[in-house]
Amino acid sequence: MQIDIVAVGKIKEKYINLGIAEFTKRLSSYCKLSIVEIGDNPTPDNASPAEELIIKEKEGDKILSKIKDQSHVIALAIQGNMYSSEDLANKLDKLALSGNSHITFVIGGSLGLSDVVLKRANTLMSFSKMTFPHQLMRLILLEQVYRGFRINRGEPYHK
Ligand SMILES: C[S@@+](CC[C@H](N)C(=O)[O-])C[C@H]1O[C@@H](n2cnc3c(N)ncnc32)[C@H](O)[C@@H]1O
């Protein structure tokens, strides 16, 4: 299975980078993983809603350009549907069985994801009603995907 993560913004925190490196290594036994980072456009503190919309749309266009046509897109969005770890594992399994083994997870920047990205998504996935920083979200996502593969293989890890 090929898993792409398209994410807006760099990982600046060392401890998060270490966690990402760890789960990237662990996932290498289960899938091919590619992480594509989209540069975030700096948003001035006094940006108007219209200016923020323009920035978000530009980021959205860059995200879309990185998504493969045939890929099943799972956009991470607070307002999406909530999944348990088992639900995510099941989704990965079903996609693999259906022959669609290319998945793209999308993580937005501080302004969130534009409408075009949300429309392209096959699934909107919420990790809770809380707002997580995009850097941490990437690490949490990797851990949950790893957990999903362990669940599907019946391997110890998930409790
Ligand atoms: C700082 S958040 C953006 C917050 C922005 N106000 C919004 O409504 O999307 C950055 C990105 O992390 C992801 N994210 C943060 N919290 C999330 C959650 N609870 N569930 C799913 N994705 C989340 C989303 O992809 C979001 O675009």
Side-chain angles (χ1 to χ4, degrees):
M1 172 171 270
Q2 171 71 42
I3 294 192
D4 294 347
I5 296 178
V6 179
V8 177
K10 288 191 184 321
I11 303 293
K12 294 176 182 154
E13 301 290 346
K14 195 175 164 199
Y15 75 96
I16 296 180
N17 258 324
L18 286 171
I20 288 173
E22 174 62 27
F23 281 101
T24 299
K25 190 173 79 186
R26 292 192 197 187
L27 276 167
S28 64
S29 307
Y30 299 92
C31 65
K32 287 188 188 145
L33 176 70
S34 144
I35 300 180
V36 179
E37 245 171 36
I38 304 284
D40 51 350
N41 298 34
T43 311
D45 285 343
N46 59 351
S48 66
E51 286 168 328
E52 288 192 351
L53 187 62
I54 290 170
I55 293 171
K56 195 159 75 168
E57 284 177 348
K58 278 187 185 159
E59 288 174 352
D61 291 343
K62 283 194 252 174
I63 291 170
L64 282 191
S65 74
K66 301 293 180 192
I67 297 176
K68 305 263 183 313
D69 286 347
Q70 78 285 7
S71 193
H72 183 97
V73 178
I74 301 180
L76 271 59
I78 299 164
Q79 73 276 23
N81 294 316
M82 276 190 237
Y83 285 70
S84 66
S85 297
E86 289 85 354
D87 291 336
L88 174 57
N90 197 252
K91 195 166 189 59
L92 294 174
D93 202 35
K94 276 197 173 146
L95 282 166
L97 288 173
S98 75
N100 189 347
S101 56
H102 193 292
I103 302 177
T104 303
F105 289 95
V106 183
I107 303 174
S110 59
L111 300 174
L113 294 168
S114 70
D115 283 349
V116 282
V117 175
L118 297 175
K119 283 203 186 102
R120 168 64 181 87
N122 302 90
T123 302
L124 299 185
M125 186 172 285
S126 175
F127 278 62
S128 86
K129 289 182 188 168
M130 292 181 180
T131 301
F132 298 111
H134 68 87
Q135 298 186 60
L136 204 50
M137 202 61 248
R138 201 186 301 185
L139 175 55
I140 295 169
L141 172 65
L142 286 168
E143 193 279 333
Q144 285 297 308
V145 171
Y146 174 71
R147 185 177 290 269
F149 281 117
R150 299 286 297 207
I151 291 171
N152 287 341
R153 297 260 182 106
E155 294 169 349
Y157 179 74
H158 177 64
K159 290 182 181 168

